[in-house]
């Protein structure tokens, strides 16, 4: 396994959350979590977790615009990174793409889209998953 | 009865005008003969797999079929992101149909999407599967300065095929296939090669006309029996010529002729055209769909819309809503976005 492939199992384990927005709900206190949690931090041992698929609808909780991107994202810059508050409650971090930059504001409704997140060079794995776009 | 249960498309947001491409190559009026005004360009983070997933999710959302009941997914494309590793597995996982299904990628230039639908029809008819998903998706490349650069667009269309709750019955299909070397791309090459004018008469026209005529003979139908016709559309002109040759009124192909606005979306081209027709067709309307893939072959279908189409109308964005949401790129941004420079 080449060094670039050391992350394969991690990528593979995250496919359900990255492709399908699979998270957890505590059946005891009805709190939703993303990504999947094994234990409810509120209910502790009384909690009963089950997997749930979130709708992909949400709003911008906060955002920033990246002009100095990390390795692998050079061609994307400038791009918006947002903290998205899902309709079901949990917050997650994601790129906001396919949207007019002036439309990206706190509170703006967004929806999940399926995109290429990163490529391990020209020969390595292509990582896919969720990004968000402004709902017009 | 076998037919379309649900359908969905995805067209990227970016466009480049034909005149902008012509400006770069000093080819004033060069695009006039193609009948293309502008073409779709995929985003930096889009490829044939992401387009296929978006279209498939739209198709499944529209009809409400439980994705676990989709037991076969076939993805037709000539721009699969991996040479080895199926796009169909990515689609299957993303729509939630895994693991109890069969899935495979297909390639036949611009017609693999319609062949995917034929495979779903066969498996549904035989009872092997309950529902099948046939997808045509492409982010095709044209060599800079080549005529193909004006037309090579990006898009995807997905169709859920089944035996119940159908919105359009597929009353018949047939194919016409020969070894015709009109267009190809060798392994490892970034851009395709083609036979110029040879792509017309012995390739596109011969196969499209032959498959369409054979279908009409098989079903005992005349050109006048169709309310709409959709043909593969490598440019804005060829489908109009086919309509004329088949004696089909040009007004019947207008709704499904989208290449002037989004370019040739290859495996998705005739299927996005069909989706556009389904967006407006009335129950009882009969649609002729004939694809063409270089190499070469055509699949022809006769499709009759059912009453159920009215229940599903408006549940998704229409093809023309996708076409209307656009952002223009100049040639520089287009080169970056399509990674046409090796240093990118």
């Amino acid at each position: 396994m080449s060094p670039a492939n050391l992350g394969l199992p991690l990528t593979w384990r995250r496919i359900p959350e990255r492709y399908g927005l699979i998270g957890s709900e505590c059946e005891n206190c009805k709190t939703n979590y993303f990504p999947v949690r094994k234990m409810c931090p509120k209910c502790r041992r009384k909690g009963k977790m089950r997997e749930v698929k979130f709708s992909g609808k949400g709003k911008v909780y906060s955002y920033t615009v990246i002009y100095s991107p990390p390795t692998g994202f050079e061609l994307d810059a400038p791009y918006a990174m947002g903290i998205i508050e899902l309709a079901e409650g949990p917050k997650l971090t994601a790129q906001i793409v396919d949207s007019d930059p002036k439309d990206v504001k706190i509170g703006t409704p967004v929806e999940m889209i399926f995109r290429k997140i990163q490529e391990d060079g020209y020969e390595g794995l292509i990582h896919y998953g969720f990004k968000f776009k402004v709902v017009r | 009865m076998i037919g379309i249960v649900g359908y969905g498309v995805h067209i990227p947001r970016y466009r480049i005008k034909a005149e902008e491409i012509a400006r770069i190559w000093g080819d004033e009026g060069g695009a006039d003969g193609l009948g293309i005004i502008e073409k779709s360009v995929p985003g930096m983070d889009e490829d044939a797999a992401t387009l296929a997933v978006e279209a498939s999710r739209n198709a499944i959302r529209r009809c409400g079929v439980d994705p676990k009941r989709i037991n076969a997914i076939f993805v037709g494309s000539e721009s699969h992101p991996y040479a080895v590793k199926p796009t169909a597995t990515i689609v299957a996982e993303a729509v939630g149909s895994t693991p109890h299904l069969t899935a495979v990628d297909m390639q036949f230039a611009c017609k693999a999407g319609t062949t995917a639908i034929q495979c779903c029809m066969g498996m549904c008819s035989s009872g092997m599967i309950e529902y099948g998903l046939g997808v045509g998706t492409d982010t095709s490349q044209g060599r800079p300065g080549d005529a193909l650069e004006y037309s090579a667009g990006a898009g995807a269309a997905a169709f859920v095929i089944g035996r119940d709750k159908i919105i359009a019955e597929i009353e018949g299909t047939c194919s016409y296939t020969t070894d015709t070397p009109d267009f190809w791309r060798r392994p490892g090459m970034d851009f395709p090669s083609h036979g110029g004018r040879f792509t017309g008469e012995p390739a596109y026209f011969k196969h499209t006309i032959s498959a369409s005529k054979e279908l009409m003979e098989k079903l005992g139908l005349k050109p006048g029996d169709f309310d709409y016709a959709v043909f593969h559309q490598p440019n804005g002109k060829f489908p109009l010529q086919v309509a004329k040759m088949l004696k089909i009124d040009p007004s019947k192909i207008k709704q499904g002729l989208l290449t002037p606005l989004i370019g040739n979306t290859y495996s998705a081209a005739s299927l996005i055209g069909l989706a556009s027709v389904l967006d407006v067709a009335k129950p009882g309307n009969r649609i002729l769909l004939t694809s063409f893939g270089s190499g070469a072959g055509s699949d022809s279908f006769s499709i009759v819309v059912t009453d159920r189409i009215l229940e599903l109308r408006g549940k998704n964005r229409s093809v023309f809503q996708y076409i209307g949401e656009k952002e223009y790129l100049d040639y520089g941004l287009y080169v970056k976005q399509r990674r046409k420079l090796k240093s990118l």
Side-chain angles (χ1 to χ4, degrees):
Chain A
M1 198 181 271
S2 73
N5 289 341
L6 288 173
L8 281 184
L10 177 67
T11 295
W12 173 70
R13 274 199 302 276
R14 287 185 173 169
I15 281 178
E17 71 180 61
R18 285 183 177 169
Y19 286 19
L21 273 189
I22 305 291
S24 303
E25 181 200 26
C26 173
E27 290 183 32
N28 189 41
C29 69
K30 302 295 177 198
T31 306
N32 290 316
Y33 298 97
F34 185 86
V36 167
R37 271 183 179 270
K38 296 253 189 253
M39 179 183 257
C40 176
K42 289 183 186 169
C43 304
R44 311 292 290 177
R45 254 175 287 176
K46 287 179 191 162
K48 193 177 173 203
M49 306 301 276
R50 72 176 187 103
E51 285 193 357
V52 288
K53 183 177 171 62
F54 297 123
S55 65
K57 306 278 182 209
K59 61 183 181 186
V60 177
Y61 180 81
S62 187
Y63 72 97
T64 186
V65 178
I66 307 287
Y67 289 92
S68 186
T71 307
F73 294 87
E74 295 89 343
L75 292 178
D76 292 0
Y79 60 90
M81 270 318 274
I83 297 174
I84 309 298
E85 185 175 355
L86 296 176
E88 295 87 352
K91 296 187 191 76
L92 52 83
T93 307
Q95 270 177 267
I96 304 168
V97 296
D98 264 22
S99 307
D100 202 325
K102 70 176 179 353
D103 290 340
V104 180
K105 293 186 179 128
I106 289 171
T108 299
V110 289
E111 63 183 6
M112 180 187 70
I113 51 176
F114 186 82
R115 290 302 167 92
K116 197 159 60 175
I117 307 291
Q118 204 176 356
E119 293 174 40
D120 294 340
Y122 279 107
E123 289 188 36
L125 199 70
I126 305 169
H127 302 266
Y128 294 99
F130 58 77
K131 292 187 183 181
F132 282 77
K133 65 178 273 192
V134 170
V135 179
R136 280 180 284 269
Chain B
M1 197 154 71
I2 190 124
I4 298 163
V5 179
Y7 68 97
V9 304
H10 179 78
I11 300 166
R13 164 187 168 89
Y14 302 97
R15 304 280 183 280
I16 184 166
K17 286 181 183 285
E19 64 189 41
E20 170 69 0
I21 297 172
R23 179 180 72 84
I24 298 301
W25 302 108
D27 194 14
E28 224 170 288
D32 292 353
L34 299 171
I36 293 169
I37 300 162
E38 55 199 43
K39 69 166 189 173
S40 55
V41 181
M44 288 292 306
D45 53 1
E46 290 184 295
D47 62 21
T50 67
L51 301 183
V53 167
E54 294 286 357
S56 301
R57 282 179 172 168
N58 283 340
I60 293 167
R61 195 180 303 130
R62 187 190 295 266
C63 61
V65 161
D66 177 357
K68 295 284 183 206
R69 291 165 71 185
I70 295 174
N71 315 118
I73 295 183
F74 300 121
V75 181
S77 179
E78 64 104 84
S79 50
H80 289 290
Y82 289 97
V84 178
K85 192 199 174 306
T87 307
T89 56
I90 299 166
V91 174
E93 198 73 55
V95 300
S97 294
T98 50
H100 302 294
L101 84 161
T102 187
V104 76
D105 286 357
M106 295 179 164
Q107 182 277 117
F108 195 143
C110 297
K111 89 156 183 107
T114 52
T115 310
I117 289 176
Q118 286 179 325
C119 293
C120 290
M121 288 174 67
M123 291 183 81
C124 284
S125 299
S126 68
M128 278 180 76
I129 59 170
E130 188 177 6
Y131 294 105
L133 182 70
V135 187
T137 179
D138 261 311
T139 57
S140 298
Q141 287 273 22
R143 192 185 304 276
D146 188 271
L148 279 181
E149 194 175 29
Y150 292 104
S151 61
F159 289 76
V160 178
I161 304 296
R163 281 167 296 175
D164 64 328
K165 294 189 174 172
I166 64 177
I167 57 166
E169 180 192 359
I170 303 176
E171 59 177 355
T173 179
C174 74
S175 299
Y176 187 90
T177 309
T178 69
D179 181 351
T180 305
D182 60 321
F183 172 102
W184 62 91
R185 179 162 60 84
R186 298 276 300 276
M189 295 294 108
D190 290 330
F191 303 112
S193 303
H194 59 83
R197 283 180 178 275
F198 187 72
T199 58
E201 207 53 55
Y204 176 83
F205 290 105
K206 180 184 168 191
H207 293 79
T208 307
I209 298 280
S210 300
S212 303
K213 280 187 173 169
E214 192 180 321
L215 180 82
M216 285 190 257
E217 271 171 35
K218 194 172 147 185
L219 298 176
L221 294 169
K222 297 185 297 297
D225 294 328
F226 294 97
D227 300 289
Y228 294 96
V230 182
F231 301 111
H232 176 56
Q233 33 205 278
N235 53 51
K237 299 269 172 87
F238 277 16
L240 287 164
Q241 285 172 252
V242 163
K244 201 174 168 187
M245 291 157 90
L246 286 173
K247 297 188 171 55
I248 288 174
D249 193 295
S251 65
K252 293 182 179 177
I253 70 164
K254 201 177 159 206
Q255 181 69 24
L257 179 52
L258 307 170
T259 294
L261 303 173
I262 57 172
N264 175 8
T265 53
Y266 282 58
S267 301
S270 54
L271 292 178
I272 296 178
L274 173 63
S276 174
V277 169
L278 291 174
D279 281 344
V280 300
K282 295 184 181 69
N285 282 168
R286 181 177 274 121
I287 305 160
L288 173 66
L289 166 71
T290 306
S291 64
F292 169 73
S294 289
S298 281
D299 302 324
S300 194
F301 302 79
S302 179
I303 299 162
V304 180
V305 177
T306 71
D307 292 340
R308 188 172 156 75
I309 200 161
L310 301 175
E311 291 173 40
L312 269 55
R313 190 151 287 163
K315 289 205 170 185
N316 269 349
R317 279 189 294 168
S318 70
V319 170
F320 270 90
Q321 278 173 301
Y322 268 103
I323 290 173
E325 289 171 15
K326 58 186 172 184
E327 182 178 334
Y328 287 107
L329 302 175
D330 59 22
Y331 196 85
L333 283 170
Y334 165 74
V335 164
K336 177 189 173 194
Q337 203 145 306
R338 294 302 278 132
R339 296 199 196 179
K340 282 183 185 279
L341 293 176
K342 280 284 181 193
S343 60
L344 296 176

